[in-house]
Amino acid sequence: MSTNNELLIENNVVKKCNVEVTNIIIPEGITEIGNCAFKDCTSLTSIEIPNSVTGIGMYAFEGCTSLRNIKIPDSVTKIGDKVFLNCTQLTTVIFPKGIQEIRSRLSDGCQNIKEESIPLRIKNISWSPSKEQCELTEIEIPKGVEVIKSNTFMNCKKVKMVIIHESVTRIAMSAFSGCKTLTSLKIPDSVTKIESDAFSGCIRLMDIVLPDGLKEIEWRTFSECKSLKSIKIPNSVIEIGSYAFENCLGLKTLEIPEGVYSIGNNAFHNCQRLTSVKIAKSVTELGDRSFSNCKELISIELNDNLLKSGSYQFSKCNNINHIKAYDQELGISYLITMAPFKLEVVSPDNSIVKVPKFAKFVNSNRDINEQVYFISKLASKEYREKVSIEDNLYFDIIWPF
């Protein structure tokens, strides 16, 4: 163990600092700055770190409220969590070129931070510049980054532009959630996975380009993106998760492309300006309340292969005037015509009326608990053989709003 008026050093590791020191030059030969080594050194304004240092421990500079800038030498390959926690005057951090991962929340509470030089060899970013107090307006994810980890830029409320380079393959959960001033974003085709909540709450996001290799739009990925006006879903997508676009109040038109097989519960719930939906033939599953409360929805085109359909998919969609659909069992196309709270499903020759599950007869308390077909006396013999005949029933029904 060695000591001087400024530093306590043990086995070439800085253990502690005199809290009254203002300027520090760490001597050559030191290999590590230990956990909490400079914690609460509130008078420290500058520090020089030699090339012999290879690691910096957790909370190493926590509470250094007078420190304004710091350059970490290229020899450093490991930096612990929350290294610059509450360094309230810190404006500039230059990271070493050799480091391959920046850990979470390095600079929480650094509300004045303006510049972070992130090296090109970084593989994973799991770090937020300054969380709720982030002052950055632009973020460029450098070339070489492969993963943007969970919560990385969450609640960076002043970020208006994000540039993501082709090396990125995954954007993890809540990575950009709550970036309330972000207006547009292009995600490169190298990205094959965007996890849940990645862009939820980006309330000013108007335009986004999704990558062609994306397989799934996960739970709540774009929930609460209230300014989003349109979205082009790539043909590579096979599943749209529950609540994926919930409360996207600006979304007006939607086309689900071929390749998508499942639309989850509440996927487009409360998209109140959505007027038309076209669902590809590949979709076989439509979840509960998938389009509920889409109050301006007028027309829906369903597909020929819908096998699993949930309840109340179009609940409170009072302006729908028609749904184009197809029945595999009967092998016929039919048109669903709707007035508020009423629904009638009729085959092209007006011979079959099909009543959805859980509907009610008009002027009757009778519930329909299973798919029921009512065939008029004009129905062909072929149709009569496929379904049971119930004559003299009122055909208008109430959709389950």
Side-chain angles (χ1 to χ4, degrees):
M1 179 184 294
S2 64
T3 185
N4 55 35
N5 292 333
E6 297 176 341
L7 299 173
L8 176 65
I9 299 171
E10 182 177 345
N11 296 325
N12 294 322
V13 176
V14 176
K15 292 291 188 179
K16 197 168 183 178
C17 173
N18 183 338
V19 294
E20 296 180 357
V21 72
T22 58
N23 299 285
I24 285 286
I25 299 176
I26 297 176
E28 285 287 344
I30 298 299
T31 58
E32 186 177 342
I33 298 172
N35 297 341
C36 304
F38 294 91
K39 182 177 179 181
D40 295 328
C41 290
T42 56
S43 298
L44 183 65
T45 59
S46 66
I47 184 169
E48 292 185 22
I49 303 173
N51 288 325
S52 56
V53 173
T54 59
I56 300 175
M58 298 184 298
Y59 303 95
F61 297 97
E62 179 189 354
C64 292
T65 54
S66 299
L67 186 64
R68 293 184 177 275
N69 55 72
I70 187 167
K71 180 179 180 180
I72 303 172
D74 292 343
S75 56
V76 173
T77 58
K78 181 181 179 182
I79 300 177
D81 292 343
K82 301 185 180 181
V83 168
F84 303 111
L85 180 65
N86 294 328
C87 292
T88 54
Q89 298 302 313
L90 189 63
T91 61
T92 304
V93 179
I94 300 177
F95 288 101
K97 294 178 181 179
I99 195 169
Q100 294 196 7
E101 180 171 2
I102 297 179
R103 302 296 300 278
S104 64
R105 308 183 73 171
L106 288 190
S107 48
D108 272 11
C110 302
Q111 65 263 36
N112 290 309
I113 202 162
K114 296 292 192 302
E115 179 184 353
E116 294 81 22
S117 176
I118 302 175
L120 300 183
R121 293 178 59 186
I122 287 286
K123 298 293 185 183
N124 301 296
I125 295 181
S126 57
W127 158 65
S128 171
S130 51
K131 292 296 176 184
E132 286 81 4
Q133 298 172 323
C134 177
E135 293 293 315
L136 295 175
T137 59
E138 298 181 6
I139 295 173
E140 180 173 358
I141 308 299
K143 296 176 182 178
V145 170
E146 296 175 357
V147 179
I148 304 173
K149 289 193 173 181
S150 299
N151 307 318
T152 298
F153 298 103
M154 185 172 70
N155 291 327
C156 285
K157 297 177 182 179
K158 295 189 177 182
V159 172
K160 295 181 179 180
M161 185 175 70
V162 175
I163 300 172
I164 302 175
H165 289 287
E166 289 284 347
S167 56
V168 175
T169 60
R170 179 166 66 93
I171 301 173
M173 183 173 64
S174 301
F176 294 92
S177 177
C179 292
K180 293 185 176 181
T181 57
L182 183 64
T183 57
S184 65
L185 180 66
K186 181 178 180 180
I187 302 176
D189 290 342
S190 58
V191 175
T192 57
K193 188 173 181 62
I194 302 175
E195 295 183 0
S196 59
D197 265 312
F199 297 95
S200 65
C202 295
I203 58 175
R204 288 183 176 83
L205 185 63
M206 294 186 292
D207 180 49
I208 186 166
V209 178
L210 296 179
D212 287 337
L214 189 65
K215 299 296 183 184
E216 179 182 359
I217 299 175
E218 296 191 10
W219 183 79
R220 286 181 51 87
T221 302
F222 298 101
S223 176
E224 305 285 345
C225 292
K226 297 179 180 180
S227 300
L228 191 64
K229 294 181 178 179
S230 64
I231 185 77
K232 183 179 179 181
I233 299 174
N235 292 330
S236 57
V237 172
I238 61 174
E239 184 174 356
I240 299 173
S242 296
Y243 303 92
F245 294 93
E246 181 192 29
N247 292 326
C248 290
L249 301 179
L251 194 62
K252 292 184 177 181
T253 60
L254 178 66
E255 183 171 346
I256 307 296
E258 290 295 332
V260 175
Y261 78 87
S262 176
I263 300 174
N265 298 338
N266 295 277
F268 296 92
H269 169 71
N270 204 39
C271 293
Q272 295 188 12
R273 290 182 177 84
L274 191 63
T275 58
S276 65
V277 176
K278 184 177 181 181
I279 299 177
K281 294 181 179 180
S282 58
V283 176
T284 59
E285 299 179 7
L286 193 59
D288 295 343
R289 301 182 186 274
S290 45
F291 292 92
S292 62
N293 210 42
C294 294
K295 295 181 178 181
E296 295 187 17
L297 190 59
I298 296 172
S299 65
I300 304 164
E301 186 171 340
L302 301 178
N303 63 64
D304 300 1
N305 302 308
L306 199 59
L307 300 176
K308 183 179 179 181
S309 185
S311 301
Y312 304 103
Q313 299 99 322
F314 307 109
S315 173
K316 298 184 180 179
C317 298
N318 295 345
N319 288 317
I320 293 178
N321 56 41
H322 74 272
I323 301 176
K324 183 179 179 182
Y326 181 87
D327 188 271
Q328 277 193 316
E329 181 181 356
L330 296 177
I332 60 167
S333 294
Y334 55 86
L335 186 67
I336 304 173
T337 57
M338 299 182 68
F341 303 104
K342 290 186 179 181
L343 172 75
E344 189 176 21
V345 186
V346 186
S347 63
D349 61 359
N350 295 318
S351 62
I352 294 181
V353 174
K354 180 179 178 182
V355 181
K357 294 180 182 180
F358 310 115
K360 289 179 180 292
F361 289 103
V362 171
N363 301 323
S364 171
N365 292 324
R366 178 179 174 184
D367 291 332
I368 308 298
N369 294 318
E370 59 184 15
Q371 210 74 49
V372 179
Y373 301 90
F374 298 96
I375 303 180
S376 75
K377 293 179 181 180
L378 298 176
S380 67
K381 181 180 179 181
E382 178 184 358
Y383 288 161
R384 288 173 179 269
E385 289 175 350
K386 286 185 176 180
V387 295
S388 61
I389 300 174
E390 297 189 31
D391 291 327
N392 302 318
L393 290 175
Y394 192 40
F395 286 166
D396 285 345
I397 60 169
I398 300 176
W399 185 261
F401 284 99

